[in-house]
Amino acid sequence: MRKVILIVGLLVSSVAFAQPIPGDDDSEDYTHLDTAKGVPYMTLPEQTVVFLLNQVRTSPKKFADTYFKDEPDTKSQECYDALTASHPMVLLEPSRALSLSSQDHASDMGNAGKEGHKGYDGSTIGERISRYGRPEGMFAENCSYGSSKPIGIVKQLLKSPGHRANIMNKSAGFVGVGIKPHRRYGYNAVMNFASDVEDVIPSLGKGFIVEDRPYWSMSAGYLNLPLPKDNAHMGKISMSYLHVDESLLQAFQLELGLHAKHQVVSFNYGFGVGPRAGYFHIGLLVGLGYAHLYEDEHIHGLYYRVSPMVDFMLPWWLSSSWRFFFSAGWTGVAVSNGDYDKVRNLGGASVELGVAFSWD
């Protein structure tokens, strides 16, 4: 039977601290402490928190001398004494599962203006972690309120014996961090620790978690607008800018339908939602534009489009630099000239498939 130990702690503070400059001592190399550098599921401040946690774990006395020795308040001096008496610990490695569970709880508490370890949806720490991974050994959670600066968050928590014990727990090997706005305190931060954790969804390197990432897409497709005597068939190309931020996709698209007799130009906007991991989104693409068609006479009209859309990364595609984009749906033209004024709407169909590339 697997043994699981749960430790919790929370702290409220209105104090903000200046962020340190890592590696003030040029004779030492601190890069090995920056284990979360560049991971796509943490923001830069969240990565910096991991860097600071590794500083205090590997050199507790030096960290105490740097940040607590000259502070006169009782809690700082208690923290100084505790850290100077501590032994170095192993580095903490970043965890996707622990990060997403931390960020979920930080967003949950921030949006609700609440505090504590019980989620606004009633979830426990273990339940939140289990959405993304399977922890082994101990797991713990620290919550702080009031500071958005990485050094402020870490110092604030170290002054609390319970939080400090979680940070300095020799059994901890992995950590995740979430820093989000809070309706009451301005900001709140959540750290989840575990001895070990296995992701529920296998990681595909940098590709499986996509956060705040831009893509350019090129699509090709088919457009049909039935005319009274015949059909206006044409091929089309679309150029899109896609922006993926956690579970939300936004698409801004220029659509061109091309034929010897018929032309369409349209600007479209799409939005889609999907799982937090960002590996697919389902949504709707809508657009307005201009259509020029020809059948016995020139026809001009307002082109409009409503199409369900989906974008996705294939599970075996090992890079998040590429995505696939597909849409199919209903289109039409509101005719504005000639005898075709009697035919107010020419309804048709549109389908397209494209590929999107990100330079990040």
Side-chain angles (χ1 to χ4, degrees):
M1 179 179 294
R2 190 171 62 193
K3 183 178 181 181
V4 176
I5 305 171
L6 170 63
I7 310 169
V8 299
L10 62 92
L11 186 66
V12 179
S13 172
S14 61
V15 181
F17 298 89
Q19 184 171 334
I21 301 174
D24 288 334
D25 184 351
D26 293 335
S27 65
E28 295 191 34
D29 182 6
Y30 292 84
T31 56
H32 68 289
L33 305 179
D34 203 3
T35 56
K37 181 178 180 180
V39 298
Y41 46 79
M42 286 190 196
T43 64
L44 182 58
E46 291 163 353
Q47 295 171 27
T48 304
V49 168
V50 178
F51 177 65
L52 292 170
L53 294 177
N54 281 330
Q55 282 190 27
V56 68
R57 282 176 63 90
T58 57
S59 302
K61 186 178 186 304
K62 182 174 182 179
F63 194 94
D65 287 338
T66 303
Y67 296 110
F68 293 106
K69 184 176 182 179
D70 297 327
E71 294 194 4
D73 61 286
T74 302
K75 288 185 177 181
S76 292
Q77 288 307 305
E78 289 176 351
C79 180
Y80 176 81
D81 293 339
L83 290 179
T84 53
S86 298
H87 298 290
M89 305 287 175
V90 297
L91 291 173
L92 294 172
E93 297 293 334
S95 162
R96 181 190 71 89
L98 297 178
S99 293
L100 297 187
S101 61
S102 297
Q103 292 157 18
D104 279 356
H105 190 54
S107 295
D108 191 19
M109 293 294 96
N111 292 334
K114 303 292 185 180
E115 59 189 77
H117 297 284
K118 184 178 181 180
Y120 196 60
D121 58 357
S123 62
T124 64
I125 302 168
E127 288 170 344
R128 290 190 294 273
I129 296 175
S130 296
R131 294 170 184 167
Y132 303 106
R134 288 186 285 268
E136 296 187 5
M138 62 78 66
F139 62 91
E141 182 172 79
N142 280 354
C143 300
S144 72
Y145 304 88
S147 181
S148 63
K149 303 293 186 180
I151 187 58
I153 294 166
V154 173
K155 288 183 67 176
Q156 180 188 122
L157 291 168
L158 285 170
K159 290 183 181 181
S160 165
H163 297 92
R164 185 170 62 245
N166 287 344
I167 293 172
M168 301 301 291
N169 192 316
K170 64 181 181 180
S171 298
F174 291 85
V175 67
V177 181
I179 304 173
K180 300 293 182 180
H182 194 282
R183 288 173 56 187
R184 181 178 175 188
Y185 296 110
Y187 285 91
N188 76 136
V190 178
M191 302 173 189
N192 282 345
F193 304 87
S195 299
D196 197 3
V197 61
E198 178 185 0
D199 288 349
V200 171
I201 302 174
S203 174
L204 297 182
K206 292 185 68 174
F208 222 74
I209 300 299
V210 180
E211 185 169 339
D212 194 18
R213 194 163 193 179
Y215 292 82
W216 287 100
S217 171
M218 179 65 73
S219 307
Y222 166 76
L223 177 63
N224 174 41
L225 292 168
L227 297 172
K229 296 181 180 179
D230 199 359
N231 289 329
H233 303 282
M234 66 190 86
K236 68 170 185 172
I237 58 173
S238 302
M239 294 161 286
S240 306
Y241 172 79
L242 308 179
H243 189 268
V244 178
D245 186 0
E246 297 185 351
S247 59
L248 177 66
L249 166 77
Q250 295 189 82
F252 302 89
Q253 183 184 78
L254 176 65
E255 177 185 7
L256 301 173
L258 304 172
H259 185 271
K261 294 183 178 181
H262 318 296
Q263 297 84 40
V264 167
V265 59
S266 173
F267 179 76
N268 308 319
Y269 171 74
F271 62 92
V273 295
R276 177 70 182 277
Y279 50 90
F280 75 88
H281 302 85
I282 298 174
L284 194 65
L285 190 70
V286 296
L288 289 174
Y290 166 77
H292 169 258
L293 310 174
Y294 184 81
E295 186 182 60
D296 297 335
E297 66 174 296
H298 294 281
I299 306 167
H300 306 279
L302 176 68
Y303 171 82
Y304 49 91
R305 174 184 178 183
V306 180
S307 302
M309 70 172 188
V310 60
D311 92 300
F312 56 91
M313 296 189 302
L314 298 180
W316 58 86
W317 196 278
L318 299 183
S319 171
S320 64
S321 297
W322 297 90
R323 304 181 72 87
F324 298 90
F325 180 86
F326 175 77
S327 72
W330 187 80
T331 63
V333 176
V335 179
S336 61
N337 71 298
D339 293 338
Y340 292 95
D341 282 339
K342 299 175 183 178
V343 185
R344 297 306 304 171
N345 291 282
L346 304 175
S350 172
V351 61
E352 68 182 274
L353 176 65
V355 62
F357 175 76
S358 173
W359 56 86
D360 279 8

